[in-house]
Each structure stands twice: as C-alpha cells, then as structure tokens.
Amino acid sequence: MFLVLLLCLFGVKASGQEDESRRWAIDFNLTPVKPVVSVNETPKEYYDPVKSGGGPNFSFHLEYFIPKSKFSVIGGYERERMDFYSGEVSADLSQLMLGGRWYIMPESSLFQPYLGANTYWNIDERRQSGSINALAYDYVRDYNVKSPLLSMAPVVGIDIYLFSSLALEVGYEFRFAINGHTSSETTFGNEQTSYAMRSPMHRHALSVGLKLTFPLKFTSNDFNGLLDTLFTILNQE
C-alpha cells in the first residue's frame, strides 16, 4: 500500500507511456567566483600579490518552463562573496536574481545545453571602507569597496539528466558589475610609495548543482538504471 501511494505521489510512468512536459524546477548551486583585477601595482618581491576569489557562494532558484517552447524564466536568491588579498579585503552580496534561458536540444534529450542571461540585484550593504595595519608583515592597507546594485551576465551551461526529474547542472557566466569598484592603497615598511589595486568587480562565475523538475517522474528506465548502478557497486565490493 505504501509503495502504491508513492507511485501515485510521484507520478511514476512506464517507459512506453508518453511523459508529461516539464513545468517548473528548483535548483541549488555552489558558485565560486573570480573577480577581475584591472590594476595591481604591488611589487613581486612582496609576499602578497593580489589573490582574488570568492566563496563558498550558494544559490537557489525557481524556474518556469514556458509551454510549447524551448524558453524558461528563472529567479531566485544568490549569496556571493568576492575576496581580494586572500580575503583581507572582501565584499558580501545578497542578490535577487532574475533571468531567462533558451534550451537548444529537444526535451527528450538527456543533455540539455542552454544559453541565457541573468540579472542580479544586490540588497545588501553596498559601501565599506577601512584601514588594515598588519604589524607582523609591516604594511598598512587602506581600502574602499562599493558593491554594485546591479550585475548582468550572459550564461552558458548544460543540464545532464541523471534521472527523468533529477539533473546535474553546470554553468558559466561573466557577471558585469554596474557602477561597482574595489580599491586599495598599500604602503610597506617605511616606504613613502603606496601601491594601488583596482577592481571593477566584474567576475567569472562557475556554478555546479542539482536541479529537480516537476511534475516529478520516475520511469522504468530510471528504475532499471538505478538497479544496474546498485549491482555494479555490489559486484565491485
């Protein structure tokens, strides 16, 4: 009886039956970023060249597939951190995301490459500044951060369906920061010269995550594939 209820809940279909089209989806991603540094005057002999990066960043989205088309609308939340000097200078962004995607292949394909565009609206604090006096390494660093209110990004990616309703999602985007910047001036020891670092806060972003589509489906092909995987694991042991 319990199995019957599960089959009804998840809409299990035999492989010979016609599948319903995907209506909507939820996803969760981890997204490391790499900010662009446009100016770095720090001499190579010093220990701390600009080390930019960011993470761990995460996001979750709700996606709606437009019926009888290869397009979708997607929106959600993104938590993003950009680090400079191994995190000594950083910017935290809480962003509302809205975008769209065009899926290239038919829905029946296990591989779903897509192109798209995203916008990111920062709702976190946008300005911060300060001074770091690192006595152990004998330098002083003054910094100023102005996080962007809006970022825009072209997107390319692929969904690889492990099961009928579960996909591995991999994507790349280049996020253009609108009116954002990070700058610092560093003075070493008793030197009078200060060394500048500048970033427009544009950044590369690589996302990896899982997507669950609805209505949920678990076909006989999914079941057979799961059994094959389990038998393979058991035989290896």
Side-chain angles (χ1 to χ4, degrees):
M1 176 64 69
F2 180 70
L3 179 59
V4 172
L5 290 176
L6 283 180
L7 295 180
C8 294
L9 177 64
F10 290 103
V12 176
K13 295 177 168 52
S15 59
Q17 293 178 316
E18 182 181 355
D19 292 337
E20 293 182 15
S21 297
R22 300 180 184 112
R23 305 292 175 82
W24 55 284
I26 56 175
D27 68 49
F28 178 84
N29 289 273
L30 297 178
T31 311
V33 299
K34 179 71 173 178
V36 172
V37 175
S38 56
V39 174
N40 176 25
E41 297 178 348
T42 307
K44 293 182 180 179
E45 61 264 26
Y46 290 112
Y47 88 102
D48 63 347
V50 174
K51 297 177 181 178
S52 63
N57 303 320
F58 68 89
S59 64
F60 56 86
H61 308 109
L62 178 66
E63 184 175 5
Y64 173 71
F65 299 96
I66 299 174
K68 299 180 180 180
S69 78
K70 294 184 178 182
F71 296 93
S72 71
V73 178
I74 184 170
Y77 174 79
E78 300 258 346
R79 182 65 179 175
E80 185 178 345
R81 178 184 176 93
M82 283 181 273
D83 291 330
F84 305 89
Y85 298 106
S86 300
E88 192 173 77
V89 177
S90 64
D92 291 298
L93 289 76
S94 293
Q95 302 171 115
L96 300 179
M97 179 274 228
L98 181 64
R101 291 177 177 173
W102 171 56
Y103 290 90
I104 301 170
M105 300 294 291
E107 184 180 327
S108 58
S109 174
L110 296 178
F111 299 94
Q112 291 289 321
Y114 60 83
L115 301 173
N118 293 337
T119 59
Y120 299 91
W121 298 86
N122 182 26
I123 57 176
D124 210 337
E125 181 181 0
R126 295 187 57 209
R127 293 180 180 270
Q128 56 179 307
S129 60
S131 182
I132 299 167
N133 192 349
L135 298 177
Y137 298 99
D138 197 20
Y139 69 81
V140 176
R141 175 169 294 133
D142 298 319
Y143 66 89
N144 184 281
V145 177
K146 181 184 178 184
S147 299
L149 173 63
L150 171 66
S151 298
M152 306 176 70
V155 184
V156 60
I158 186 170
D159 295 340
I160 303 172
Y161 277 85
L162 310 176
F163 299 105
S164 295
S165 291
L166 181 65
L168 173 66
E169 186 174 36
V170 180
Y172 167 80
E173 48 189 297
F174 187 80
R175 299 179 179 177
F176 294 93
I178 308 301
N179 196 26
H181 73 261
T182 296
S183 61
S184 70
E185 298 286 341
T186 305
T187 304
F188 293 89
N190 295 321
E191 294 185 13
Q192 299 299 314
T193 303
S194 63
Y195 300 99
M197 185 278 293
R198 304 282 186 271
S199 171
M201 303 185 78
H202 307 322
R203 61 269 190 207
H204 303 273
L206 178 67
S207 62
V208 179
L210 291 175
K211 172 186 287 186
L212 189 64
T213 65
F214 298 87
L216 287 171
K217 294 179 290 185
F218 194 78
T219 68
S220 58
N221 288 335
D222 295 331
F223 183 73
N224 292 335
L226 183 59
L227 287 180
D228 290 342
T229 301
L230 290 175
F231 285 139
T232 299
I233 295 174
L234 292 174
N235 289 334
Q236 289 178 348
E237 294 179 353

